[in-house]
Amino acid sequence: MSNNVFGKATVAEENQNKNVKKEDKTLIKDSTEAPKKESSSKKRRRPVKPEGFKEFEELAKEIIEADGSSYYEWLHERHQEIILNFNVSNQKQIKDVAKKGE
């Protein structure tokens, strides 16, 4: 900062120094802030298994296999039933509901 003949900084120099200090504070603030996360609507959530899911899955598997059937064939048949019973006239509505649940 230069001084005028009276040993004082000019008003323009003082204003410039204030602006530089504000910019420095902004840079420090911006660099210390955590990066913003994507909104939850854009980010896909991983499906969360309900509490006790694994234990019930194991029990169901044991019961089905004790009958001499394959758990995975049984599960595949349940999946097929869902697909075959899918109501085509409500397809768009069902897709929208499924997307909201993701």
Side-chain angles (χ1 to χ4, degrees):
M1 173 172 27
S2 63
N3 295 329
N4 63 15
V5 289
F6 300 106
K8 293 186 178 181
T10 64
V11 174
E13 288 174 329
E14 288 178 2
N15 287 338
Q16 184 180 3
N17 288 334
K18 287 179 185 177
N19 289 338
V20 169
K21 287 179 183 177
K22 285 180 184 177
E23 288 174 11
D24 288 345
K25 287 180 183 178
T26 303
L27 289 174
I28 292 169
K29 182 180 176 185
D30 289 345
S31 64
T32 58
E33 287 180 0
K36 292 184 179 181
K37 295 181 181 179
E38 285 186 40
S39 67
S40 60
S41 63
K42 291 182 181 178
K43 189 176 179 181
R44 284 189 88 156
R45 293 186 214 154
R46 284 184 66 191
V48 178
K49 292 180 182 177
E51 188 176 325
F53 177 85
K54 187 153 183 78
E55 292 82 6
F56 277 93
E57 182 183 42
E58 288 298 318
L59 289 171
K61 191 174 182 180
E62 288 176 17
I63 291 168
I64 291 167
E65 289 177 351
D67 263 353
S69 300
S70 165
Y71 169 75
Y72 295 103
E73 284 183 29
W74 172 84
L75 187 59
H76 181 63
E77 288 172 7
R78 300 295 87 70
H79 291 158
Q80 286 177 326
E81 285 177 19
I82 291 170
I83 301 302
L84 294 173
N85 292 326
F86 185 76
N87 188 339
V88 178
S89 66
N90 294 328
Q91 186 174 2
K92 184 179 181 333
Q93 181 184 1
I94 293 169
K95 282 183 182 178
D96 290 342
V97 170
K99 284 181 183 178
K100 286 180 184 177
E102 292 180 350

